[in-house]
Amino acid sequence: MRRHKQWPLRPLAYSFCSSSAETVTNSTVAFPLKHVTKSNFETTLNDLRSLVKAADFVAIDLEMTGVTSAPWRDSLEFDRYDVRYLKVKDSAEKFAVVQFGVCPFRWDSHTQSFVSHPHNFFVFPRQELTFDPPAHEFLCQTTSIDFLAKYQFDFNTCIHEGISYLSRRQEEDASKRLEMLYGEEGIDSTVETEDLKLVRLSDVLFAERMKKMINEWRSGLLHSGNASSESPRISNGSTQSTETVFYHMRPALSLKGFTSHQLRVIKLVVGKHFGDLVYIHSNDKNSYSQDFVVYTDSEYDKENLMKEAKDERKRVGERKIQYAIGFRQVIDLLSSEKKLIVGHNCFLDIAHVYSKFLGPLPSTAEKFVASINNHFPYIVDTKILLNVNPVLHQRMKKSSTSLSSAFSLLCPQIEFSSRSSVSFPQQHVKIEVEVDNVRSSNWNAGGKHEAGYDAFMTGCIFAQACNHLGFDFKQHSQSDHLAQNEKLDKYINRLYLSWTRGDIINLRTGHSNADNWRVSKFKYGNIVLIWNFPRKLKAREIKECICKAFGSASVTSVYHVDDSAVFVMFKNSELVWDFLTLKQQLESSDGPVSVLHPLSKILEGGNTGAADYEAYKEICSSHISKIVFSDQAETVGVKSRTRPDPQGETERKEENTVVVTPTASDLIDTFLANRVEAKAG
Amino acid sequence: MQRRFLSSLSSSAGNTKTLNQAKWSVKQVKKSNFHLTLDEIRTSIDSSEFIALSLQNTGSYAAAWHRVSSIDTPQTSYLKAKYAAERYQILQFSLCPFSLHDSKLIAHPYNFHLFPRDELKLGMPSYSFSCQASRLTSMAREGFDFNTCIYEGISYLSRAQESASKFLSGNPILADPITVSSSSSPATVADTVFVGRIRSRVKNWRQSCIESRSKTGDDDLVSCLRRLVLGSEQYGSRLCLTIDVCSERQVQLILEMMTEFSDDVVPLLVASKSKGTQAVRAVFMGSKKDKDLFKRELQDIENEENRRVRGFREVVDLISSSQKPVVSQNYLSDFTLIHAKFLGPLPSNVDDFNSSLSSAFPNIVDLSQLMKEISPLSNISNLPTAMSSLNRFFAPVDVEVANQGCPVKSNEVHQSHGQNAVMLSQLFAKLRTIQKSDLSTLQSNEDCQGLASDNENVKVWSKNNRRVSSENLVFIWGLMKKMTASKLKNVLQTSHPVFAQEFDVKYLDKSCAIVVFWESGLSETFINVVNNEEKLDGSLREMVAEGLRASGYETYKRACRLGFWEAELADSLDKSLESSDMDLDLDTEASEIDWSSEFAINFDEL
């Protein structure tokens, strides 16, 4: 979505940057950016905690492996807000986040400037937990990967060194599984041995030898009191070895170099023949596994030992889960500090944050809104700010509001900080960058477009925008929460659901549904979706065909979903019903009438499907993503009900009519005014 | 250098560990050196007897049950492989053309880095692909260089995509002569008028072209003016006329009409952005010779364009056209991928796949099959282990890497990519020496028979397998968690009289188990009982009340066919049952499958 739109602009900005980089390579340093990977994550997280606590706001930006899982999943002209949400949901569920930029900004009253701390986290959904493996898979959009490559994204660092994570839901599930594994009774251990039967001759022989060896060790232990610590190697030339050690204050035989199958045999032998010996398998925190045969004094002692061993395994498991949470700790930090989160056209970003770090995305936009507020109470989208606020909109001089162009327009002093000769008027906010306790205000703006840098740009735009809105940071005290400032109030928690359509989603709860949206008022009940018609037919021809059958004014417009499908917008919803009925009639009769009928051109081939708008929503909600829309429609299986239920139709229409209430209307009016203005210009 | 590799290998062939370390120098091929290497590859292939290949993919299966297992019929195995092949991507294609001379193996190993870059901006070769995170992680552990792959990987188009792209690339193409000859539907009045108008336009233009040719004395200004007046343009150095069209019908009419001027006018088709013809461009030829020259030029341009677009597929075409036996580690997964990426979309059933594939690759040696014949207990998925398992046979193989001008870089890890194909060729050589069979048994298409959907012909892959008809299998799911196979077997034994006879239970994934009845007819009885409330009683009734469901093999087959690839088999079977009423089952015949405990998924691994 966003990355898509920025495409043509980024290379421009990039080429400019790189050329400026060449001229000043020696005089300035590269942009200071804190790169965070697995190895320095823990230490960085500790530092970041205090930085976020002290921050006035935190800017974020994400890089993903893709945006749309099929061309038709892109934002289309006729996407209703709920369909749009389904498309964003699909994107967030299918693609992976590979980089996460976090940049806390703090107003420093001494230097009269903002201090920013850009962090660039490499993230990769590595599976850290072996006992909880829902095989994780993600999609890569070829063009997006190519785009990342164009900006020298380091895939090796990402995959080799990226920080892994668990969402809150995944953590809960993992804990539950752990509970199950080491829970109440220890059935698991007994059942496992039952499964194994000694059939192969080699196993029988091995078991016999082990029995003898263990017996010797045990009797040595009991009779001499101090068994020789080094028992003889039991197999010539192999790596197998045993050694007397202590396990939880008890004498034990540590087993090394055996195969897992052999260990199972040993376990079986111990269980069968030695009442006072216990087989223990333990993992230390580096998941280095160790196996012991432990001697116990009594039944009571044996139970104790089993319990101790189980508790230990559980502790190790818990530690592993804690470690596996990984990057989510950053999200938890942002959430618990309730800081103002700043993003640029960030609805998709927020959806990714939700699905990766909180839990599965809710099925509807309404549920999403109801839930996201609990985790991130204040979000501001700089793209909304720049487009909806009249002052800023004017300042943008109708140029693109993409991240890089907004940055160079609003914050030239930062972009060209290397060229100190150019002086900028006082109204520009001064921003410094601090990384690893080194502060700099002079750097080479050229460099890679990494998530950390993009987050920094977003934050700069926000700071500058606040300045233009008449925000005086000098008077503004630390205790004031930026998010509660009335000047920003209109824009907080409003995100673009679809930038191209101008649909805005309001994340504030406590409003009625209708109030949560600013959506265009299409009559979705008047739309028919047609797919699998002969490929060579163009929108114009389809319109002609239908007009011949239903009158020249019957169709308002025809719009391509992709090559294989179109939306036909009828004048009214009765025509939708008429069209679908007629189609069915024509298909059921094979007479000459149907061949000569104007619609026969569309129905040629006999595979043409048609359905109302709700079917489109159903198709979008499927987790399948076929590249061609008609394939998708067939796979989802809406073909069987090309005939809408007229009763349900009217009911649904009622539901989906959006009433724009006065409370939201001021925002919308400004917005619309701006849009008209932009169009005129 | 090569000698050293050789000696170190043959002396230590017995030890798995050293074998692992033995590294041959493999030529790494990327975007930058691809075209330069092509001729060398061609020579290597031509001079070799066999070609071994091995692929490095972004994934293999998303859920435990998606993996091809012993309970699969050829058709379900194929559908599973197809599902994987369509989603995952090949990142490395290692190729090793080789020849055998007694115990000497002469290898020409190459390793190609691939990336499906969208060179034409048409969403080809692939719009997106899936990655298995765990697969990428383990590749990273082995030192895989993702940057090289993505930045410098060679792109490609499949045969099907190439023909689709031809028109879309924007270059005008020669009208297909076949379409010209096929005179279609009768002309309407509108057609006649249209043709007449275009004819006179072409005539006038042609006349002026002939005149301008004779009047070579014109200065530039005059000829320029003339062109302006006549609305004539130039195509290269030749004069041309562009006629816009609104439909394919008009294209047809114009082409038919143009045959009248075929001596000195050549029609070209200009594509529009949305897959149709936008215009017909008539190009004026100075002479017959000029015409031939022009056609050759066009052909050259097209060939060059195709070559650029085809990318790595050029190599696949070389392998295919060489008709040499191709040795692969896993016939099904490798060749479904190769078919999907380089030939065209995978057909929906295994027979069509086999015939489509054999037209491109007539001789495929499935090494795992060959391995099974000689050493039934070995597992080929781990090549070094497979190799060492053959040590009890005396079959020395000396490997000589014969690649010319191999760049040996200091970066050893990097250089090591593509070892698998060499190992495959080595393994193959060993197996052949052991088998000492003549070539015919290897080369025939018998390996494909293992995959024919003809049910009676399913091979027994392993000697200790018992064959069982799919009719005697029952899938059961909706079980309590924390149930092991043996526990479940105990529970079932007491639940109903059908379990008095011999039967087996295996988990396929954590959600679903399979019951094997060794006596036919019992499976049906069991399913009937579970689905009939009146007949239910005792503990079985209780289990059903707790959610137990049971269904026959056809439900599983349907799930695979309709593409219900849910993460848990239980969900897929549920979906499959739901859809059964609206979907007529076509293939209900029973199939024999091999039952082997070693193939069943170990519950501990889940």
Side-chain angles (χ1 to χ4, degrees):
Chain A
M1 190 178 65
R2 166 148 72 81
R3 256 146 271 280
H4 230 66
K5 303 294 169 211
Q6 282 178 5
W7 230 303
L9 291 151
R10 281 215 179 175
L12 276 178
Y14 181 67
S15 64
F16 180 77
C17 293
S18 58
S19 66
S20 72
E22 276 159 32
T23 55
V24 287
T25 353
N26 297 327
S27 57
T28 49
V29 284
F31 182 78
L33 191 57
K34 176 88 179 169
H35 290 287
V36 192
T37 59
K38 223 164 42 168
S39 51
N40 62 345
F41 177 64
E42 291 298 331
T43 49
T44 311
L45 182 66
N46 283 334
D47 299 341
L48 188 66
R49 280 185 205 284
S50 52
L51 295 176
V52 169
K53 264 196 183 72
D56 291 295
F57 62 91
V58 181
I60 60 162
D61 186 83
L62 278 67
E63 294 293 336
M64 308 80 149
T65 56
V67 179
T68 52
S69 57
W72 56 268
R73 291 257 190 204
D74 213 337
S75 175
L76 298 179
E77 189 63 31
F78 282 164
D79 286 348
R80 205 206 278 147
Y81 74 91
D82 51 348
V83 169
R84 181 66 208 139
Y85 172 76
L86 289 173
K87 287 185 171 180
V88 171
K89 176 171 176 275
D90 173 78
S91 176
E93 282 167 350
K94 291 216 170 89
F95 296 102
V97 172
V98 285
Q99 233 181 30
F100 202 115
V102 176
C103 187
F105 280 74
R106 177 176 59 86
W107 177 256
D108 185 346
S109 45
H110 298 295
T111 55
Q112 294 291 305
S113 65
F114 268 110
V115 184
S116 66
H117 308 270
H119 287 71
N120 194 42
F121 291 91
F122 282 90
V123 179
F124 186 73
R126 198 177 301 103
Q127 267 171 277
E128 298 283 4
L129 297 177
T130 44
F131 58 88
D132 183 42
H136 187 76
E137 217 174 279
F138 60 88
L139 209 59
C140 293
Q141 199 179 340
T142 316
T143 44
S144 300
I145 298 292
D146 215 23
F147 171 80
L148 287 172
K150 223 170 262 164
Y151 293 104
Q152 274 90 53
F153 183 86
D154 192 342
F155 296 95
N156 282 343
T157 308
C158 175
I159 300 168
H160 291 234
E161 299 282 313
I163 308 149
S164 190
Y165 56 81
L166 287 184
S167 73
R168 289 191 187 165
R169 173 67 71 83
Q170 284 168 324
E171 184 199 341
E172 279 167 28
D173 290 349
S175 302
K176 258 184 226 151
R177 277 185 71 90
L178 192 72
E179 202 57 47
M180 245 175 79
L181 277 174
Y182 304 118
E184 338 83 66
E185 342 101 74
I187 341 160
D188 34 309
S189 54
T190 48
V191 177
E192 261 173 56
T193 34
E194 262 175 39
D195 277 345
L196 184 76
K197 282 186 189 100
L198 300 178
V199 244
R200 280 198 276 182
L201 182 66
S202 59
D203 284 348
V204 176
L205 291 177
F206 179 79
E208 209 45 53
R209 210 180 63 204
M210 285 301 117
K211 190 177 153 191
K212 192 163 158 260
M213 187 272 293
I214 294 170
N215 200 20
E216 274 169 15
W217 174 76
R218 183 178 163 273
S219 49
L221 201 72
L222 289 179
H223 297 122
S224 68
N226 55 335
S228 60
S229 58
E230 285 290 330
S231 53
R233 298 229 159 173
I234 49 160
S235 176
N236 44 339
S238 86
T239 51
Q240 297 169 355
S241 74
T242 57
E243 195 187 342
T244 306
V245 292
F246 281 89
Y247 182 83
H248 284 246
M249 322 269 284
R250 297 172 186 90
L253 191 63
S254 113
L255 307 166
K256 279 182 187 139
F258 293 92
T259 66
S260 58
H261 179 75
Q262 285 171 331
L263 288 172
R264 284 173 73 183
V265 175
I266 296 175
K267 188 176 175 183
L268 185 79
V269 169
V270 170
K272 238 187 199 165
H273 304 286
F274 303 96
D276 51 1
L277 298 185
V278 182
Y279 181 90
I280 300 280
H281 175 82
S282 78
N283 278 313
D284 66 4
K285 51 179 174 268
N286 307 319
S287 72
Y288 177 73
S289 76
Q290 281 179 298
D291 297 90
F292 304 96
V293 173
V294 187
Y295 174 79
T296 52
D297 290 331
S298 60
E299 238 356 83
Y300 175 72
D301 189 34
K302 189 174 168 181
E303 266 170 43
N304 262 350
L305 173 69
M306 301 273 264
K307 197 173 168 303
E308 280 168 30
K310 207 163 70 187
D311 288 349
E312 188 183 277
R313 277 203 296 265
K314 198 175 162 187
R315 268 200 306 280
V316 170
E318 279 164 355
R319 267 204 300 275
K320 268 190 193 161
I321 293 178
Q322 205 55 40
Y323 176 72
I325 288 170
F327 182 74
R328 203 198 77 216
Q329 295 176 70
V330 175
I331 303 300
D332 285 348
L333 171 66
L334 295 180
S335 170
S336 64
E337 290 297 326
K338 299 203 186 307
K339 290 291 171 185
L340 176 64
I341 305 291
V342 183
H344 189 83
N345 202 5
C346 63
F347 187 64
L348 182 61
D349 291 353
I350 298 294
H352 267 287
V353 167
Y354 196 107
S355 93
K356 302 285 181 299
F357 308 115
L358 302 176
L361 278 164
S363 56
T364 66
E366 287 84 355
K367 286 184 194 155
F368 174 77
V369 166
S371 174
I372 190 74
N373 212 263
N374 301 330
H375 305 286
F376 298 102
Y378 313 104
I379 301 171
V380 74
D381 188 331
T382 44
K383 196 163 179 100
I384 292 262
L385 209 54
L386 297 182
N387 279 293
V388 179
N389 181 279
V391 180
L392 293 171
H393 192 82
Q394 201 215 339
R395 201 162 262 281
M396 287 305 292
K397 296 173 190 121
K398 287 168 195 132
S399 78
S400 153
T401 50
S402 77
L403 182 60
S404 52
S405 83
F407 181 66
S408 45
L409 201 77
L410 285 179
C411 317
Q413 83 283 11
I414 302 164
E415 191 176 15
F416 306 118
S417 70
S418 51
R419 301 175 175 178
S420 38
S421 54
V422 193
S423 62
F424 290 100
Q426 278 305 299
Q427 56 171 330
H428 282 294
V429 179
K430 205 174 140 205
I431 294 175
E432 292 181 328
V433 179
E434 187 180 307
V435 167
D436 291 334
N437 296 321
V438 179
R439 222 182 253 206
S440 48
S441 51
N442 220 24
W443 58 82
N444 184 350
K448 303 181 206 175
H449 283 251
E450 313 235 23
Y453 186 69
D454 285 359
F456 167 75
M457 290 202 289
T458 307
C460 292
I461 292 171
F462 178 69
Q464 193 59 51
C466 288
N467 182 300
H468 289 312
L469 288 179
F471 221 85
D472 195 355
F473 295 110
K474 287 162 197 152
Q475 320 251 294
H476 171 76
S477 75
Q478 278 285 316
S479 55
D480 283 349
H481 201 300
L482 205 57
Q484 263 123 33
N485 192 289
E486 51 160 14
K487 282 182 180 118
L488 279 176
D489 186 59
K490 266 188 190 177
Y491 313 103
I492 295 263
N493 287 340
R494 286 184 166 90
L495 307 180
Y496 275 118
L497 191 51
S498 155
W499 152 241
T500 39
R501 299 265 327 271
D503 286 356
I504 294 171
I505 182 172
N506 184 345
L507 300 180
R508 259 179 257 212
T509 48
H511 293 263
S512 70
N513 256 353
D515 196 31
N516 273 335
W517 317 104
R518 202 223 64 84
V519 288
S520 31
K521 286 172 280 176
F522 257 136
K523 291 201 171 69
Y524 293 98
N526 298 358
I527 291 176
V528 169
L529 177 67
I530 309 176
W531 67 90
N532 243 354
F533 45 83
R535 279 293 173 90
K536 57 181 196 293
L537 280 187
K538 307 232 163 58
R540 187 176 45 83
E541 291 165 279
I542 291 169
K543 188 175 175 180
E544 275 168 18
C545 288
I546 299 173
C547 285
K548 267 185 209 160
F550 292 97
S552 57
S554 57
V555 177
T556 321
S557 56
V558 176
Y559 182 87
H560 269 288
V561 179
D562 66 2
D563 282 345
S564 71
V566 287
F567 285 123
V568 177
M569 178 98 159
F570 282 99
K571 203 173 61 191
N572 54 51
S573 58
E574 287 74 47
L575 281 166
V576 169
W577 168 239
D578 291 347
F579 174 81
L580 293 175
T581 323
L582 180 62
K583 177 183 174 276
Q584 197 142 45
Q585 277 168 6
L586 289 173
E587 278 167 342
S588 55
S589 66
D590 260 340
V593 187
S594 58
V595 177
L596 293 173
H597 196 276
L599 284 188
S600 65
K601 222 170 156 184
I602 300 174
L603 303 181
E604 203 184 301
N607 293 321
T608 308
D612 59 333
Y613 197 81
E614 293 310 309
Y616 177 56
K617 185 179 173 185
E618 190 187 321
I619 290 166
C620 289
S621 70
S622 165
H623 65 89
I624 300 165
S625 266
K626 297 278 177 191
I627 303 299
V628 179
F629 186 84
S630 59
D631 294 347
Q632 173 84 7
E634 299 298 308
T635 315
V636 174
V638 276
K639 201 189 178 184
S640 54
R641 44 167 217 84
T642 49
R643 200 171 159 173
D645 171 17
Q647 205 65 41
E649 170 73 6
T650 43
E651 266 172 40
R652 279 197 211 104
K653 225 183 338 179
E654 225 71 71
E655 249 172 59
N656 291 321
T657 315
V658 174
V659 188
V660 181
T661 54
T663 40
S665 64
D666 59 336
L667 172 68
I668 293 147
D669 288 346
T670 14
F671 174 78
L672 284 179
N674 283 325
R675 266 202 130 190
V676 172
E677 197 185 292
K679 262 182 199 160
Chain B
M1 183 73 207
Q2 285 158 9
R3 279 286 136 199
R4 213 189 61 206
F5 280 124
L6 208 159
S7 56
S8 75
L9 191 94
S10 47
S11 64
S12 63
N15 197 318
T16 330
K17 283 222 164 130
T18 13
L19 224 165
N20 234 343
Q21 286 158 2
K23 291 226 169 78
W24 298 283
S25 130
V26 176
K27 178 147 189 173
Q28 305 294 320
V29 188
K30 297 165 207 164
K31 202 165 63 176
S32 51
N33 63 344
F34 177 62
H35 284 289
L36 291 171
T37 320
L38 257 181
D39 284 331
E40 193 192 322
I41 298 162
R42 189 176 292 120
T43 327
S44 299
I45 290 178
D46 286 345
S47 66
S48 302
E49 291 174 81
F50 305 94
I51 299 162
L53 56 84
S54 166
L55 311 178
Q56 183 76 267
N57 316 325
T58 58
S60 47
Y61 51 88
W65 77 274
H66 294 175
R67 191 180 184 175
V68 175
S69 78
S70 59
I71 67 141
D72 282 308
T73 62
Q75 175 67 12
T76 56
S77 309
Y78 168 68
L79 289 172
K80 285 178 172 184
K82 175 174 184 270
Y83 179 61
E86 282 165 351
R87 291 175 326 127
Y88 300 116
Q89 189 57 45
I90 305 172
L91 293 184
Q92 276 186 2
F93 192 114
S94 50
L95 184 69
C96 181
F98 65 97
S99 306
L100 293 174
H101 300 294
D102 301 323
S103 70
K104 193 164 160 196
L105 187 150
I106 299 158
H108 307 262
Y110 298 90
N111 185 50
F112 297 90
H113 299 255
L114 303 186
F115 187 72
R117 207 170 296 100
D118 190 357
E119 309 262 12
L120 298 171
K121 304 280 170 246
L122 290 170
M124 290 196 277
S126 99
Y127 184 81
S128 61
F129 57 89
S130 284
C131 293
Q132 218 176 311
S134 56
R135 171 60 70 93
L136 296 192
T137 312
S138 65
M139 277 160 84
R141 219 175 288 130
E142 287 157 21
F144 190 90
D145 188 345
F146 293 95
N147 285 347
T148 306
C149 174
I150 295 166
Y151 292 134
E152 299 183 64
I154 309 154
S155 192
Y156 57 85
L157 283 191
S158 74
R159 288 184 186 172
Q161 285 169 330
E162 183 185 321
S163 42
S165 76
K166 220 173 239 180
F167 208 56
L168 293 170
S169 61
N171 284 349
I173 58 163
L174 269 174
D176 200 348
I178 305 155
T179 50
V180 178
S181 61
S182 65
S183 193
S184 51
S185 54
T188 62
V189 181
D191 287 350
T192 325
V193 173
F194 175 77
V195 170
R197 209 182 64 220
I198 300 294
R199 180 184 285 120
S200 71
R201 203 173 140 201
V202 173
K203 229 179 204 164
N204 285 336
W205 164 76
R206 179 171 164 269
Q207 198 54 44
S208 72
C209 289
I210 295 171
E211 278 165 20
S212 73
R213 188 175 51 182
S214 57
K215 278 186 265 172
T216 43
D218 274 358
D219 56 30
D220 287 348
L221 182 70
V222 176
S223 60
C224 190
L225 280 174
R226 188 192 311 281
R227 270 205 295 280
L228 267 177
V229 173
L230 289 169
S232 174
E233 314 142 65
Q234 267 189 311
Y235 182 75
S237 60
R238 295 174 182 86
L239 294 168
C240 76
L241 176 74
T242 304
I243 308 157
D244 290 327
V245 292
C246 322
S247 69
E248 297 297 322
R249 170 84 186 139
Q250 289 183 342
V251 175
Q252 199 61 37
L253 291 169
I254 294 172
L255 291 179
E256 275 170 37
M257 186 272 293
M258 288 273 203
T259 50
E260 295 167 25
F261 309 102
S262 61
D263 286 345
D264 45 16
V265 177
V266 175
L268 300 178
L269 302 182
V270 182
S272 74
K273 283 200 180 76
S274 57
K275 287 184 186 168
T277 315
Q278 189 178 26
V280 176
R281 186 170 291 163
V283 185
F284 182 74
M285 299 294 131
S287 63
K288 182 93 178 63
K289 217 171 125 191
D290 189 35
K291 187 178 159 185
D292 292 339
L293 185 70
F294 178 67
K295 285 197 170 166
R296 238 191 342 267
E297 274 173 27
L298 275 182
Q299 197 57 49
D300 286 347
I301 291 173
E302 198 185 310
N303 287 348
E304 188 47 47
E305 176 71 21
N306 286 349
R307 209 180 134 102
R308 196 178 68 79
V309 154
R310 223 179 281 150
F312 174 73
R313 210 198 74 229
E314 192 100 22
V315 176
V316 177
D317 285 349
L318 282 177
I319 303 171
S320 166
S321 62
S322 77
Q323 304 274 304
K324 299 208 162 137
V326 179
V327 179
S328 101
Q329 188 173 358
N330 188 327
Y331 169 78
L332 194 56
S333 82
D334 286 350
F335 282 92
T336 44
L337 266 163
I338 289 173
H339 193 291
K341 309 295 175 203
F342 307 119
L343 303 181
L346 286 165
S348 58
N349 78 62
V350 66
D351 292 332
D352 293 346
F353 167 70
N354 281 335
S355 68
S356 165
L357 186 69
S358 62
S359 68
F361 300 98
N363 299 319
I364 298 170
V365 180
D366 187 358
L367 214 49
S368 54
Q369 202 79 263
L370 197 59
M371 188 77 180
K372 286 266 152 59
E373 280 162 26
I374 288 166
S375 181
L377 292 174
S378 309
N379 182 358
I380 197 165
S381 60
N382 186 337
L383 281 177
T385 321
M387 196 87 85
S388 65
S389 77
L390 293 177
N391 281 336
R392 60 201 156 98
F393 301 100
F394 178 72
V397 174
D398 287 345
V399 179
E400 183 183 320
V401 173
N403 266 9
Q404 293 297 302
C406 239
V408 179
K409 283 183 195 160
S410 52
N411 186 353
E412 239 194 41
V413 180
H414 190 70
Q415 206 59 18
S416 71
H417 291 320
Q419 298 284 322
N420 271 6
V422 191
M423 279 219 252
L424 281 177
S425 64
Q426 198 190 8
L427 187 59
F428 174 75
K430 266 182 185 283
L431 289 169
R432 272 215 39 206
T433 324
I434 294 163
Q435 202 178 42
K436 287 205 169 59
S437 58
D438 56 343
L439 234 84
S440 58
T441 57
L442 294 181
Q443 281 190 24
S444 71
N445 263 342
E446 64 163 357
D447 33 71
C448 301
Q449 278 171 22
L451 275 173
S453 69
D454 188 358
N455 298 314
E456 300 315 308
N457 275 350
V458 175
K459 277 188 182 174
V460 182
W461 285 345
S462 181
K463 277 168 195 150
N464 60 350
N465 282 354
R466 276 171 81 173
R467 293 168 95 208
V468 55
S469 167
S470 61
E471 271 182 346
N472 296 334
L473 299 179
V474 176
F475 290 80
I476 57 173
W477 65 98
L479 301 156
M480 276 194 335
K481 306 264 176 202
K482 263 180 115 173
M483 189 85 110
T484 60
S486 58
K487 212 175 164 195
L488 180 60
K489 192 174 175 178
N490 288 340
V491 172
L492 286 174
Q493 227 147 20
T494 56
S495 70
H496 196 269
V498 288
F499 294 108
Q501 304 291 327
E502 194 192 355
F503 74 101
D504 269 312
V505 177
K506 280 285 177 231
Y507 269 92
L508 296 174
D509 71 357
K510 61 182 172 184
S511 72
C512 181
I514 194 164
V515 181
V516 190
F517 290 96
W518 295 108
E519 200 152 306
S520 58
L522 290 179
S523 60
E524 221 173 304
T525 325
F526 176 60
I527 293 175
N528 282 340
V529 168
V530 171
N531 293 324
N532 192 333
E533 223 211 305
E534 289 160 29
K535 288 188 198 161
L536 269 177
D537 53 11
S539 61
L540 193 58
R541 191 189 179 91
E542 214 165 278
M543 284 170 82
V544 173
E546 277 169 4
L548 176 90
R549 301 193 75 176
S551 185
Y553 200 81
E554 74 285 350
T555 312
Y556 175 69
K557 277 211 292 214
R558 196 184 311 109
C560 292
R561 192 178 40 159
L562 297 179
F564 297 142
W565 303 107
E566 308 296 322
E568 296 199 341
L569 181 53
D571 295 339
S572 303
L573 293 174
D574 273 333
K575 267 186 113 171
S576 173
L577 277 182
E578 273 168 37
S579 72
S580 63
D581 39 316
M582 59 181 241
D583 192 277
L584 220 106
D585 230 329
L586 301 168
D587 44 359
T588 42
E589 311 155 55
S591 349
E592 294 249 294
I593 60 158
D594 307 307
W595 179 255
S596 148
S597 51
E598 68 183 87
F599 278 105
I601 288 158
N602 187 349
F603 189 62
D604 299 340
E605 286 171 11
L606 296 175

